[in-house]
């Protein structure tokens, strides 16, 4: 089995969007990636980047750091959406999701350069 496991046409992003400051199209959590509809390759890469961020931080530490980075950004910018986009994990994913070779060449802990 190849990871992450992509699940399309899921209600998970719809449900989570009700409690987040952004409208979630797709989300990576553990070995799964849930998407509201059909994923294009850019979305698959973006979420696979998050999967590898989680792997290198043993999943739970990435979730904790993600939350802390968001909270710090929320306090700093006074805006939940901006805090999301300024999260180092999201910056890495957004800056590299168009690069078809990124996952093959990505070094371990590459998200650190965006802190």
């Amino acid at each position: 089995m190849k990871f992450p496991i992509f699940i399309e046409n899921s209600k998970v992003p719809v449900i989570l969007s009700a409690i987040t400051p952004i409208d979630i199209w797709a989300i990576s959590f553990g070995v799964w990636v849930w998407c509201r509809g059909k994923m294009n390759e850019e979305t698959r890469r973006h979420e696979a980047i998050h999967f590898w961020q989680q792997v290198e931080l043993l999943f739970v530490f990435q979730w904790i750091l993600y939350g802390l980075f968001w909270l710090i950004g929320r306090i700093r910018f006074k805006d939940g959406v901006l805090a999301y986009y300024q999260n180092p994990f999201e910056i890495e994913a957004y800056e590299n999701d168009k690069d078809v070779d990124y996952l093959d060449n990505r070094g371990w802990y590459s998200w650190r350069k965006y802190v």
Side-chain angles (χ1 to χ4, degrees):
M1 180 172 282
K2 188 172 177 173
F3 294 105
I5 299 166
F6 294 100
I7 303 166
E8 297 178 318
N9 302 310
S10 171
K11 296 285 185 208
V12 171
V14 176
I15 294 164
L16 292 175
S17 289
I19 59 170
T20 64
I22 63 163
D23 192 28
I24 298 171
W25 172 251
I27 185 167
S28 175
F29 190 79
V31 298
W32 302 279
V33 173
W34 293 280
C35 184
R36 287 179 182 231
K38 187 94 169 136
M39 276 183 263
N40 61 28
E41 288 306 310
E42 187 176 313
T43 300
R44 286 178 178 269
R45 261 189 307 280
H46 181 99
E47 297 305 329
I49 291 167
H50 288 315
F51 168 75
W52 287 108
Q53 292 167 344
Q54 292 175 70
V55 167
E56 60 202 16
L57 288 168
L58 305 175
F59 294 95
V60 71
F61 296 109
Q62 193 267 355
W63 305 332
I64 291 167
L65 278 175
Y66 191 102
L68 286 173
F69 284 132
W70 182 85
L71 187 58
I72 291 165
R74 178 69 176 92
I75 292 165
R76 180 176 174 204
F77 303 116
K78 297 175 181 45
D79 182 334
V81 175
L82 186 55
Y84 163 79
Y85 285 108
Q86 292 302 310
N87 189 312
F89 295 114
E90 292 300 338
I91 296 171
E92 179 193 9
Y94 278 111
E95 283 194 8
N96 297 290
D97 59 13
K98 291 172 182 56
D99 182 349
V100 296
D101 297 317
Y102 185 72
L103 287 167
D104 292 330
N105 300 317
R106 180 184 182 271
W108 284 93
Y109 302 96
S110 291
W111 58 270
R112 290 182 308 162
K113 65 181 146 193
Y114 301 97
V115 175

